[in-house]
Amino acid sequence: MNIVLLGLPGAGKGTQAARIAENKGLVKINTGDLFRDNIRRETELGLKAKPYYESGGLVPDEITIGMLLSRLDAPDCGSGCLFDGFPRTLAQAKALDTALNSKAVEIDSVVYIEVPEKELIARISGRRSCRRCGAVYHEVTSPPEQVGVCDRCRGELYQREDDKEEVVRNRLLVNQEQLQQLLAYYRKQGKLEIIDGDRDVESVNRDLMQGLERR
Ligand code: AMP
């Protein structure tokens, strides 16, 4: 089974992706995480992606698609993937279809987690991430026990460069235009499920699982 999770930054894709991947036994592929890892390790790909990443813009398709295709070739992807943060453009969606079709599989379901923009800005600008283990907190809705310190590994919590409010607004704008095209593309393929993401994690997860069971 191959599933695409769509949603603007802050819609809760990461949280839901982890749960679905575990529940369905899928490998989670998150292009934002792949970029962060490459930027941290200062790989050639990371250096190319860094300026786009830091401004909150999209990394160009040729870099992103190349990275995704090599990830898809890894042996662990054989029994199905959950795509989180990819595709973000129509060209990426088409490249993904082509790559999967060449392996005689296809996307089975596309789930869009819908959240109003005002709520997204509040969610993202309060987000704090652990430098060491990647755990995510929120200043207001899920604060760590000690300010600035990860509960899990005691690592330092920081605000991602692209989670700062002015960058967030740009990210939402950039992503909104592309998102509409993606929704139209998958709607036409009859694969789109829309879930109301402006609720607690459990309710969203329940709807999401039910949506996937219907497929
Ligand atoms: P995320 O963690 O999904 O919010 O992604 C963080 C940043 O990585 C984005 O703001 C983009 O700069 C870059 N990025 C992640 N996924 C993609 C993608 N599919 N296409 C282009 N850029 C991406």
Side-chain angles (χ1 to χ4, degrees), residues 67-84:
M67 176 176 79
L68 191 276
L69 295 183
S70 41
R71 179 65 188 88
L72 261 189
D73 276 341
D76 64 338
C77 289
S79 50
C81 296
L82 175 73
F83 299 93
D84 168 16

Side-chain angles (χ1 to χ4, degrees), residues 9-14 36 121-129 135-140 158-160 162-163 168 171:
K13 288 195 307 296
R36 275 183 286 283
I121 293 173
R123 285 188 190 179
I124 307 178
S125 50
R127 191 153 76 177
R128 297 292 178 270
S129 312
V136 178
Y137 298 84
H138 190 282
E139 274 187 325
V140 180
Y158 77 113
Q159 184 176 38
R160 272 169 45 184
D162 62 330
D163 279 351
V168 169
R171 283 169 70 197

